Every structure is written in structure tokens, then in C-alpha cells.
């Protein structure tokens, strides 16, 4: 790609705007353009997973590049991952597989040989499935757990004979029922069908009740289902079908993410990671896992990989960076810089594949103040209705137009395929095509009475979260934009005219509204459709700046049956009446928004706490895993909420 | 066309082919054997259980056959148990388990689902002690083992 120079004009519109306010307008970047390029998430994957154990590759998390200096003494990588693998694998040798549980006590009849073969194949398959999926990790633990007892029996026999070990007079009755339960739970399909419907809390209670149930609820596929439910709606990208490289099994995955979510709710930071490269004042900051993109006032744009903590690229744009964007699939970084002295703005495009600049875009007639880019187009505006659009792959200018000016400036700009969506400071939304054809103009006035939108985030389902200057946050749904096509798939093209009547009828509705108790200077939002995390800071150079963490999440499922009444259901011989059955079968799930009180980011580790309290943030962003903080004096810090891996693995290793 | 099924204890049951074929196992057997009047032996199912299973299949004979879905999620299936099914499952625990095992053996997915959901509903919301009580099982953990499991799972507590 060659660089393109726009032709000189007669003179450009002289316009000054406060640079201090410019970044605020441009930081509505949570519309992660990478999310747009992902295919719709698969509708859950729960096929019988024959999980083959952990990946012996050490976690990339701990690799450090030479260009990164650590402000905090990071724990060195150990061979814990490998050790864990050993633990999980030791049970798969033939000698340690438990003997098959007692077979059904039926008489063997003369069997048709074909059917017999088919039947034995099915049973073998079931046993095989249950063996593979459950014994790798769990029988190891189970036999370890059993070994705690000083018993001469071997672990395998122990498992089988445990129902008989009790000495009570009714032991024969109990053991028969236990054997019955054992028989029921032997086939994998049955186990999965029963336990796959239960919540994490129920599985936990089952595991504590007896060894049989501990074993039966340890299938990896059950934990996978729980894991996917745990992170449902949290991330923009596809739900993982396979485990990430540094996670040994699905139960561990659940543990890690469950702890991470708990830490967010408590504001407990687990680790502080430094990304330093002689930063000057940071003007823009974005996190889109696993990358962090920063822009400085000296025109440098940095792209970091969090997992490896390496600086992938450093690009140079002329002037102070006021907007950056990284398109993962297209492998480009775009940056908008404004040179104060020359009063010129330019956009440069770089390839992250080659590291070279691939485009230079300037507009001599007006300032480029606010931009958007997607896989096809680059659009820039001066914030007052003047637009230029380019096809960045060819570098050709597609259009240049002016739309009718509004009284307020453009707060945020989004590009949805070939439609431009504008949100103004006073809550006006405008839609028009890439060539300037206007599709509609609406106002959020009736739902945002304060007319002053400070920040906003467009989610990939085209709902918007806006933050008003009155410290009210509202999640606004725009059903007109979220239409579905004939197949019921979301319609991603907005290319149609929307009349005022349509808008008045069903234009915007508020999912929720939340009044914050403190004024804030800056905010960021991260998370998914159902769980949103946002952080706020109050920039005050003199005082301590707390980083406040708020989380909104759906309320927990409500069981319609209380614990006490459950105990009375089911008599000694296990007969249930129709009413009792009705009671047992109803469970409700509610997606009401649970507005968490804010918590202040802190740590129980005194060293970390000192670091956190010493931070002077000027910019922040967050995603479900990290808060990324840009410091006033330069520098970037990542606050990690997931448990630090080796501590977590230590606990696993003890079992 | 009627089909004869023989239970474990040699009791014969005659049912319509359409009803019998709710069981994929039986359906495959019939296809393999072809046009034959010989009874189909089911040595893993006792007569009492087979009777119940046939009752279910008769009632649901006109239901659309469920297609095996790769992305089958137990939670995604309809959460409500029909009233008839609920009454049908009002049996003692032993019979309930036998029905589930038979449904698994005979490959009758809807019956397996209903049975498993019934058991799941029994478990929901119960403490470990309550679970032991309802299934009449003994806590065979030593205090140390129990403590270890609690520690292993403490992150799951009170989310």
C-alpha cells in the first residue's frame, strides 16, 4: 500500500477545540470491531468430551520479554503445570482403573449373537466414556483421598466395597440402596443427563455427600457445562470449545473464573503488571484481550500482548494521539494524531503483519476529530457534520459530505457495516450511509433528561450504555437497530430509512438505569451482555485516586423450594406424592439486574496495596479479566483479577 | 403390526410396532431381523419395569421423534415436565432408577430425559446430609477427606 497525500486546498476551516475534551469524545471504543468479525457464538457445545488431559505447555502468562521491566516481583514459572499433568495422568494406567462396579443381577438368557455383540459394544462404549472422562483426574484424587485412611484394602477395592464398610445393623439395607444408586450412575449418559442440569452449588453438595457421588460428578463434560454457564454473556468473543493452553481441566477453569468473578465483586486485585516503554502522557488506552493499545501525546502508538507481556509494535503518528483502533482480523492499527503547532490532523494506518505503514489520510479542509474504522471503510469527521470516507484497502476516497449540523458535537461515532451511527452530546442519534444518505434522526431526550452524554459504549448487539453527566448510567436498547432477518438472525445491516413515527413507537427503551453516588472524571466499561463491569476514577493529581469498580450482573437463580421443606419431601422408602413432585420440579431463573455497590480496587497483599494506592490514573479501561490503567506520569499498569496461576495450581496439587 | 417383547422374567408383552419403535434399540433390532414374528428378548428389563416403559411409549406414541443434536445441552431442553409425565414418575426410588436404566438400555431418549430430570429435581437445593438421607447412603468420608474436598471446592461456596 502506498501512502496517499490528499490534494492541497485553498485553506482549511480554522477550528480550535480543547484537546482535553477530545479524548472523552473519542473513547467510546467498546464497540470492539474485532467482535464484529467473529461468527455468532455456537449454541453451546456439550458433546461427550473425551478430555485428554492437560496441555504440558507452560503457561504463557509467565514469559517476560526483555523490553518489559517489571515493577513488581513476579513469581517465576515453575513446573507446576507439568506436575499437575502427572497427577492427572497417573490414574490412567490399566492397573489403577477401578474394577467395574457390580453388574446388574439379572439372569443371562440365550442371546441372539448379533444383539449381544451390539449390546456389549454399547456397554463397553459407556464404560469407556465414563473411564476416559472421569478417571484421568478424579480417580487419582479419589484414590488419594481414600489413601488417607490407614486401610489394607487397595484403592480400587475400597471404591467398590465402600458401601459395605458400615457396621450398623441396617448396613445390608443401606448398601443395597447404595448399590442401586451406583448402578444407576454407571452409564455416562445417565450421569450427564442428571448432573448436567444442576447448579454449581448442587454439584458441590453432591461431592460432599459420599464417595460415589464425588466420583459421579467429576466428569469433565459436567464441569465444562458449568464452566460455560459461569462465563456466559461475559465475553464478547466466542465461548471456548476447548480449554485454553494453561488450564489443565474444566473444573480448574471453573475455579479460576469463579474466583475471578468473586475478586471483581470484592475489588480484590491479585496482581499488578507493568507495561512500560518510556511513556509520556497517555492520551488513549484500550484493552481488547489479549491486547492493549495505547496512544501518547508524542504520537507513539503501542500494541502490547498481555499474555506474553511483550510489546508487539510501536508506531509513530505525527501529533498527539486522539484515537486508535486495532482490527485483529485485518491486522491493522489505525491512529489519529493532532499536531497542535501545525494545527493539522492525520490518520495513519499500519500493518501489524509487516510493521509497516500502509496508509496516510489527511483532510485539509477541516480537522479530523473523530473516526471509525471497520473491515472495509475508514470514516473521519470533524465532529460537526463533515465527513470523509475512504476504502482503506485501496486508499481511495469514497465520499466527502456534510450532513446538517446539530447544535451539539458528535460524542461517538460507529461504523456498522456501511452505516454510520452518530451519537451527540445531547443525546441525538443519527444514522446515515457511507455516502451521506440520511436514514434517521432520533433523540434519547426522553430517557436521558440531562442532555449531556459523557461516555458511551456500543455493544455488539447494538445496545448502548450511556453515562450522563448527572452520574446516571443507562443501558439503552434500540430495537429498531436490532431487527432480525427472515431466518431470525440478527440483521447487521442498518441500511434502511427509519421514520420518526417508527422511532416514537419503539425507538429506545431502557434496560436499566443506575445512579452513581460519586462524580467521576473518567469511566470505562468492560464485560458482556449480562455482566457489565465498569470502573471510574476521579482525576485529582494531589489526592489519592480511588479506582472504583462496579459490577452489574443477573441475580441468582431462585429455587422455589426452600431447604427445610426439601428435607421433609420423600419418606423413608422414597415414595413421592404428586404435590411433592410438583414442588420439586420448578426452578426459576431471573435476569433482573443486580446493581452491585461499588468497591474500591485494593489488595490484601500489603505490597500490592501500596502500589495500587500509589497509582495516579489518567485513563482506564477494563475487560472481564483486567483493569488497565494509564498513569498521569506515563506508564501502563494492568490490575489482574483472575487468581495468579501458580498459587491456584498449588492448591490443586495438594489434593 | 404387533411386536412381542419378552422381559427378563419371561413375561411377554404385545405392542404395536409404532409403540415399540420409540425405543431405538428395538427399532434397530426389528430392522435387522426383518419381517419376523419371533419375540424380541429384553434380558435387562424386568416385567414390572417393561410394563411402565410400554405405558410411557403408548402415551407418547405420536410425539415427534427427537433428532440427536450435537450441541445438546440438558438445560436447553424444555424445563417443564408435563403433568402426565409427572404422575407417571410418581413411583418409588427403586422403580424410578430402573425406569431410567431401562430407558438408557432401550435408547428411549425422552423417557431418559424425564427420568433424569426427576432425579435432578430431587437433588436440587439439598445439603449433603439431605442428599444422603433421600438416597439412603452413608457418609463414607473420613473427616480428613471431607475437609480436603471442602478445601478443594471452597471457591464454589456461596457464589
Amino acid at each position: 500500500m502506498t501512502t496517499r497525500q490528499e490534494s492541497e486546498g485553498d485553506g482549511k476551516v480554522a477550528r480550535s477545540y480543547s484537546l482535553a475534551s477530545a479524548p472523552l469524545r473519542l473513547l467510546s471504543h467498546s464497540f470492539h470491531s474485532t467482535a464484529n468479525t467473529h461468527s455468532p457464538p455456537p449454541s453451546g457445545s456439550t458433546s461427550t468430551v473425551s478430555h485428554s488431559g492437560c496441555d504440558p505447555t507452560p503457561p504463557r502468562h509467565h514469559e517476560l520479554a526483555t523490553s518489559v521491566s517489571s515493577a513488581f516481583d513476579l513469581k517465576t514459572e515453575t513446573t507446576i503445570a507439568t506436575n499437575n499433568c502427572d497427577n492427572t495422568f497417573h490414574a490412567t494406567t490399566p492397573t489403577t482403573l477401578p474394577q467395574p462396579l457390580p453388574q446388574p443381577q439379572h439372569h443371562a438368557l440365550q442371546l441372539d449373537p448379533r444383539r449381544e455383540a451390539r449390546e456389549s459394544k454399547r456397554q463397553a462404549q459407556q464404560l469407556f466414556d465414563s473411564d476416559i472422562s472421569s478417571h484421568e483426574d478424579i480417580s487419582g484424587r479419589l484414590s488419594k483421598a481414600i489413601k488417607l485412611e490407614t486401610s489394607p484394602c487397595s484403592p480400587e477395592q475400597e471404591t467398590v466395597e465402600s458401601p459395605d464398610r458400615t457396621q450398623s445393623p441396617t448396613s445390608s439395607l443401606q448398601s443395597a440402596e447404595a448399590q442401586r444408586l451406583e448402578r444407576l450412575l454407571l452409564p455416562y449418559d445417565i450421569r450427564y443427563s442428571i448432573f448436567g442440569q444442576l447448579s454449581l452449588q448442587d454439584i458441590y453438595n453432591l461431592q460432599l455427600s459420599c464417595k460415589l457421588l464425588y466420583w459421579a460428578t467429576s466428569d469433565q463434560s459436567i464441569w465444562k457445562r458449568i464452566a460455560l454457564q459461569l462465563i456466559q454473556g461475559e465475553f464478547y468473543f466466542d465461548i471456548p470449545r476447548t480449554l485454553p493452553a494453561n488450564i489443565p481441566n474444566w473444573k480448574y477453569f471453573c475455579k479460576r473464573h469463579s474466583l475471578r468473578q468473586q475478586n471483581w465483586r470484592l475489588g480484590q486485585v491479585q496482581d499488578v503488571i507493568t507495561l512500560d516503554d518510556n511513556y509520556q502522557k497517555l492520551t488513549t488506552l484500550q484493552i481488547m484481550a489479549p491486547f492493549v493499545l495505547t496512544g501518547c501525546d508524542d504520537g507513539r502508538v503501542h500494541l502490547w500482548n498481555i499474555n506474553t507481556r511483550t510489546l508487539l509494535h510501536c508506531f509513530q503518528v505525527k501529533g498527539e494521539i486522539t484515537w486508535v483502533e486495532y482490527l485483529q482480523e485485518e491486522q491493522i492499527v489505525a491512529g489519529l494524531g493532532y499536531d497542535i503547532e501545525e494545527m493539522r490532523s492525520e490518520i495513519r494506518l499500519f500493518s501489524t503483519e509487516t510493521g509497516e505503514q500502509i496508509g496516510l489520510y489527511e483532510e485539509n479542509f477541516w480537522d479530523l476529530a473523530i473516526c471509525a474504522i471497520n473491515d472495509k471503510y475508514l470514516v473521519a469527521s470533524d465532529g460537526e457534520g463533515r465527513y470523509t470516507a475512504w476504502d482503506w484497502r485501496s486508499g481511495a476516497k469514497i465520499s466527502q459530505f456534510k450532513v446538517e449540523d446539530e447544535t451539539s458535537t458528535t460524542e461517538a461515532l460507529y461504523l456498522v457495516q456501511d452505516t454510520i451511527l452518530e451519537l451527540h452530546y445531547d443525546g441525538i442519534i443519527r444514522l446515515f450511509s457511507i455516502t451521506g444518505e440520511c436514514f434517521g434522526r432520533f433523540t434519547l431526550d426522553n430517557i436521558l433528561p440531562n442532555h449531556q452524554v459523557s461516555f458511551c459504549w456500543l455493544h455488539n448487539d447494538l445496545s448502548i450504555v450511556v453515562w450522563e453527566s448527572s452520574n446516571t448510567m443507562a443501558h439503552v436498547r434500540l430495537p429498531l437497530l436490532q431487527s432480525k432477518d427472515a431466518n431470525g438472525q440478527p440483521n447487521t445491516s442498518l441500511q434502511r430509512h427509519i421514520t420518526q413515527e417508527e422511532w416514537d413507537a419503539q425507538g429506545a427503551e431502557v434496560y436499566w438505569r443506575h445512579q452513581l453516588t460519586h462524580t467521576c472524571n473518567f469511566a470505562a466499561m468492560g464485560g458482556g451482555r449480562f455482566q457489565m463491569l465498569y470502573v471510574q476514577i476521579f482525576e485529582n493529581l494531589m489526592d489519592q485516586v480511588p479506582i472504583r469498580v462496579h459490577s452489574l450482573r443477573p441475580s441468582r437463580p431462585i429455587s422455589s423450594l426452600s431447604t427445610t421443606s426439601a428435607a421433609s419431601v420423600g419418606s423413608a422408602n422414597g415414595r413421592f406424592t404428586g404435590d411433592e413432585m410438583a414442588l420439586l420440579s420448578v426452578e426459576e431463573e431471573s435476569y433482573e439486574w443486580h446493581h452491585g455497590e461499588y468497591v474500591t480496587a485494593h489488595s490484601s497483599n500489603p505490597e500490592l496495596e501500596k502500589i495500587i494506592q500509589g497509582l495516579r490514573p489518567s485513563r482506564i479501561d477494563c475487560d472481564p479479566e483486567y483493569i488497565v490503567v494509564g498513569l498521569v506520569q506515563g506508564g501502563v499498569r494492568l490490575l489482574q483479577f483472575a487468581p495468579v496461576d501458580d498459587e491456584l495450581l498449588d492448591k490443586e496439587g495438594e489434593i | 403390526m404387533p411386536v412381542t417383547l419378552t422381559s427378563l422374567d419371561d413375561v411377554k408383552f404385545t405392542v404395536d410396532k409404532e409403540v415399540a419403535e420409540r425405543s431405538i434399540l428395538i427399532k434397530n433390532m426389528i430392522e435387522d431381523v426383518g419381517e419376523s414374528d419371533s419375540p424380541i428378548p429384553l434380558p435387562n428389563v424386568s416385567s414390572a419395569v417393561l410394563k411402565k416403559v410400554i405405558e410411557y411409549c403408548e402415551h407418547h406414541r405420536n410425539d415427534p421423534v427427537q433428532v440427536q443434536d450435537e450441541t445438546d445441552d440438558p438445560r436447553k431442553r424444555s424445563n417443564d415436565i408435563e403433568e402426565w409425565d409427572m404422575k407417571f414418575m410418581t413411583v418409588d426410588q427403586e422403580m424410578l432408577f430402573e425406569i431410567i436404566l431401562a430407558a438408557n438400555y432401550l435408547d428411549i431418549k425422552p423417557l431418559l430425559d424425564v427420568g433424569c430430570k426427576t432425579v435432578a429435581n430431587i437433588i436440587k437445593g439439598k445439603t449433603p446430609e439431605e442428599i444422603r438421607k433421600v438416597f439412603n447412603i452413608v457418609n463414607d468420608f473420613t473427616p480428613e477427606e471431607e475437609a480436603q474436598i471442602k478445601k478443594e471446592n471452597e471457591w464454589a461456596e456461596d457464589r
Side-chain angles (χ1 to χ4, degrees):
Chain A
M1 298 289 272
T2 55
T3 61
R4 314 274 302 204
Q5 288 281 354
E6 296 299 322
S7 55
E8 291 284 335
D10 290 335
K12 56 182 187 289
V13 173
R15 183 176 166 270
S16 65
Y17 57 86
S18 161
L19 282 176
S21 69
L24 288 178
R25 290 186 292 150
L26 300 173
L27 276 159
S28 346
H29 60 264
S30 279
F31 183 69
H32 295 270
S33 47
T34 50
N36 212 14
T37 61
H38 278 266
S39 50
S43 50
S45 75
T46 55
S47 50
T48 57
V49 173
S50 296
H51 182 56
S52 53
C54 73
D55 185 341
T57 315
R60 293 175 296 157
H61 187 69
H62 293 279
E63 283 176 81
L64 295 174
T66 50
S67 60
V68 175
S69 63
S70 174
F72 183 70
D73 202 23
L74 294 165
K75 293 192 181 168
T76 55
E77 182 197 325
T78 66
T79 53
I80 288 191
T82 334
N83 288 345
N84 206 37
C85 284
D86 290 340
N87 285 344
T88 63
F89 278 118
H90 94 276
T92 58
T93 56
T95 51
T96 58
L97 280 176
Q99 300 306 312
L101 296 169
Q103 293 300 320
Q105 302 189 0
H106 296 296
H107 308 292
L109 294 179
Q110 240 8 62
L111 297 173
D112 173 32
R114 257 179 318 187
R115 203 161 42 74
E116 190 182 4
R118 206 184 299 132
E119 175 54 30
S120 59
K121 189 180 165 195
R122 255 186 87 234
Q123 282 185 354
Q125 184 63 33
Q126 284 177 351
L127 266 175
F128 179 75
D129 284 346
S130 66
D131 283 350
I132 288 293
S133 60
S134 62
H135 291 315
E136 299 182 278
D137 184 39
I138 301 313
S139 69
R141 290 197 197 152
L142 190 55
S143 36
K144 267 192 178 175
I146 296 163
K147 272 174 189 154
L148 285 179
E149 282 195 300
T150 50
S151 163
C153 297
S154 68
E156 299 77 28
Q157 284 174 319
E158 198 72 43
T159 320
V160 171
E161 291 169 18
S162 56
D164 297 336
R165 275 191 298 110
T166 159
Q167 300 300 313
S168 71
T170 55
S171 62
S172 56
L173 178 64
Q174 284 173 331
S175 68
E177 282 167 323
Q179 281 183 1
R180 201 171 64 197
L181 188 61
E182 230 170 358
R183 230 183 83 221
L184 177 74
L185 296 177
L186 181 58
Y188 167 78
D189 284 337
I190 293 179
R191 283 203 306 277
Y192 186 72
S193 289
I194 297 175
F195 303 129
Q197 307 187 47
L198 298 174
S199 68
L200 184 57
Q201 190 63 40
D202 288 327
I203 301 282
Y204 174 53
N205 289 337
L206 281 168
Q207 293 213 322
L208 273 177
S209 48
C210 71
K211 287 180 183 171
L212 169 69
L213 290 173
Y214 179 88
W215 167 82
T217 49
S218 298
D219 288 314
Q220 283 301 300
S221 50
I222 292 173
W223 284 103
K224 181 174 178 181
R225 192 204 66 81
I226 294 177
L228 299 182
Q229 215 204 355
L230 206 63
I231 62 169
Q232 181 197 31
E234 226 188 328
F235 296 89
Y236 286 119
F237 43 81
D238 293 344
I239 291 167
R241 295 187 86 112
T242 56
L243 285 173
N246 59 336
I247 309 276
N249 59 57
W250 284 103
K251 188 171 182 184
Y252 179 86
F253 183 95
C254 283
K255 184 172 180 176
R256 184 183 181 277
H257 284 277
S258 180
L259 286 173
R260 177 182 57 75
Q261 289 174 355
Q262 278 180 25
N263 292 334
W264 266 107
R265 280 200 292 280
L266 299 169
Q268 277 193 338
V269 178
Q270 302 298 303
D271 197 5
V272 178
I273 299 155
T274 299
L275 303 176
D276 242 335
D277 193 29
N278 295 324
Y279 280 110
Q280 298 299 311
K281 182 164 176 258
L282 272 172
T283 50
T284 68
L285 183 60
Q286 288 179 39
I287 181 168
M288 53 251 145
F291 302 102
V292 167
L293 188 63
T294 68
C296 287
D297 63 355
D298 60 2
R300 284 185 300 162
V301 173
H302 288 91
L303 182 68
W304 294 88
N305 179 322
I306 300 171
N307 290 341
T308 58
R309 294 182 207 174
T310 48
L311 177 64
L312 295 175
H313 293 283
C314 177
F315 301 120
Q316 186 69 50
V317 178
K318 210 163 170 212
E320 179 182 306
I321 303 292
T322 51
W323 169 82
V324 280
E325 187 68 57
Y326 173 44
L327 300 181
Q328 279 192 47
E329 285 212 5
E330 289 73 25
Q331 294 180 295
I332 54 163
V333 166
L336 169 66
Y338 180 77
D339 189 329
I340 306 175
E341 282 155 36
E342 294 188 27
M343 287 175 60
R344 283 174 54 109
S345 43
E346 63 174 29
I347 302 172
R348 284 181 199 253
L349 254 61
F350 304 91
S351 159
T352 52
E353 221 181 344
T354 61
E356 301 296 313
Q357 180 176 311
I358 56 171
L360 169 65
Y361 300 90
E362 292 170 307
E363 179 56 65
N364 291 318
F365 297 105
W366 54 80
D367 290 334
L368 303 172
I370 187 166
C371 308
I373 189 169
N374 70 3
D375 55 339
K376 285 205 285 244
Y377 307 112
L378 168 65
V379 165
S381 166
D382 67 346
E384 290 178 352
R386 293 184 191 83
Y387 282 90
T388 312
W390 294 272
D391 172 346
W392 58 262
R393 289 184 202 268
S394 63
K397 188 189 287 196
I398 297 192
S399 61
Q400 191 170 32
F401 57 88
K402 184 180 188 313
V403 290
E404 193 189 314
D405 202 4
E406 298 288 338
T407 49
S408 62
T409 48
T410 308
E411 185 65 35
L413 194 66
Y414 300 105
L415 201 51
V416 182
Q417 292 207 345
D418 21 10
T419 306
I420 297 171
L421 193 153
E422 254 189 2
L423 175 65
H424 286 249
Y425 183 63
D426 63 358
I428 289 181
I429 293 180
R430 291 201 296 187
L431 290 165
F432 36 89
S433 77
I434 202 87
T435 48
E437 186 190 344
C438 186
F439 291 138
R441 177 191 177 280
F442 331 103
T443 177
L444 295 175
D445 207 33
N446 44 354
I447 51 179
L448 298 178
N450 292 294
H451 312 292
Q452 291 173 351
V453 175
S454 320
F455 310 107
C456 78
W457 298 268
L458 185 77
H459 288 285
N460 50 354
D461 65 350
L462 298 183
S463 62
I464 297 181
V465 177
V466 291
W467 186 307
E468 287 190 281
S469 64
S470 68
N471 265 354
T472 307
M473 193 169 223
H475 188 184
V476 177
R477 211 175 134 245
L478 305 166
L480 282 178
L481 303 183
Q482 295 166 298
S483 57
K484 297 219 190 316
D485 65 15
N487 296 330
Q489 297 299 313
N491 205 345
T492 48
S493 171
L494 300 179
Q495 290 253 5
R496 64 187 193 89
H497 286 271
I498 301 174
T499 63
Q500 189 61 49
E501 287 77 29
E502 277 179 274
W503 182 260
D504 291 338
Q506 48 149 178
E509 61 185 45
V510 178
Y511 274 144
W512 50 260
R513 196 192 297 273
H514 182 47
Q515 178 77 42
L516 293 149
T517 47
H518 298 259
T519 55
C520 89
N521 205 37
F522 204 84
M525 172 163 274
R529 260 182 326 128
F530 298 114
Q531 172 168 331
M532 293 182 191
L533 310 159
Y534 56 94
V535 296
Q536 58 171 152
I537 56 167
F538 187 78
E539 188 179 326
N540 181 332
L541 291 172
M542 306 306 292
D543 297 334
Q544 185 179 343
V545 179
I547 297 172
R548 292 202 186 93
V549 177
H550 303 253
S551 67
L552 299 168
R553 61 192 169 86
S555 57
R556 272 174 237 178
I558 313 159
S559 173
S560 67
L561 194 62
S562 70
T563 325
T564 46
S565 56
S568 65
V569 170
S571 55
N573 67 354
R575 184 170 287 276
F576 300 92
T577 65
D579 289 334
E580 286 164 336
M581 294 290 286
L583 267 179
L584 291 168
S585 69
V586 177
E587 177 177 289
E588 281 159 10
E589 262 193 33
S590 166
Y591 269 121
E592 288 165 11
W593 285 102
H594 169 76
H595 292 214
E597 288 293 319
Y598 76 84
V599 290
T600 305
H602 66 280
S603 170
S604 47
N605 175 329
E607 277 181 41
L608 271 182
E609 177 67 5
K610 215 163 64 174
I611 295 175
I612 294 169
Q613 298 311 325
L615 294 177
R616 295 287 175 265
S618 66
R619 292 284 178 271
I620 46 171
D621 194 9
C622 70
D623 80 350
E625 299 256 2
Y626 299 98
I627 295 176
V628 60
V629 180
L631 306 177
V632 165
Q633 70 270 27
V636 177
R637 302 284 181 272
L638 288 174
L639 304 183
Q640 177 177 320
F641 286 87
V644 177
D645 285 339
D646 44 4
E647 273 173 16
L648 199 59
L649 283 166
D650 268 340
K651 276 193 183 158
E652 292 275 304
E654 274 169 22
I655 306 296
Chain B
M1 165 153 169
V3 158
T4 309
L5 307 171
T6 313
S7 71
L8 151 77
D9 39 351
D10 252 344
V11 178
K12 289 187 168 29
F13 295 87
T14 305
V15 294
D16 283 345
K17 188 164 169 232
E18 186 189 48
V19 171
E21 284 186 344
R22 301 300 301 182
S23 153
I24 307 295
L25 180 80
I26 294 176
K27 184 164 184 254
N28 291 342
M29 278 188 214
I30 292 173
E31 276 172 20
D32 287 347
V33 166
E35 293 299 317
S36 165
D37 278 334
S38 56
I40 296 172
L42 301 172
N44 284 357
V45 189
S46 72
S47 56
V49 180
L50 188 52
K51 187 169 172 207
K52 280 291 268 184
V53 170
I54 288 170
E55 187 189 335
Y56 181 88
C57 294
E58 292 267 8
H59 186 263
H60 287 275
R61 64 191 295 166
N62 293 323
D63 286 358
V65 175
Q66 276 189 358
V67 178
Q68 183 62 35
D69 196 350
E70 273 297 303
T71 57
D72 200 19
D73 180 355
R75 284 185 86 95
K76 278 225 184 98
R77 298 187 212 128
S78 164
N79 271 334
D80 302 322
I81 304 183
E82 281 178 32
E83 207 185 312
W84 188 91
D85 287 349
M86 229 191 286
K87 289 206 176 92
F88 176 80
M89 286 296 174
T90 308
V91 290
D92 61 40
Q93 224 177 68
E94 184 173 0
M95 176 56 83
L96 176 60
F97 290 3
E98 292 294 337
I99 291 174
I100 294 173
L101 284 164
N104 189 47
Y105 168 65
L106 295 169
D107 202 350
I108 308 172
K109 204 155 185 312
L111 180 57
L112 178 66
D113 289 348
V114 168
C116 290
K117 180 140 189 72
T118 307
V119 175
N121 287 337
I122 295 170
I123 296 168
K124 274 179 191 165
K126 288 196 165 63
T127 64
E129 186 51 47
E130 288 163 351
I131 291 172
R132 289 182 209 124
K133 213 165 142 195
V134 87
F135 291 122
N136 264 317
I137 46 181
V138 169
N139 179 2
D140 49 358
F141 290 122
T142 63
E144 292 85 19
E145 287 170 337
E146 205 166 325
Q148 236 182 9
I149 294 177
K150 276 194 175 148
K151 190 173 167 205
E152 177 189 318
N153 287 344
E154 68 187 342
W155 56 275
E157 260 183 85
D158 293 329
R159 286 201 67 249

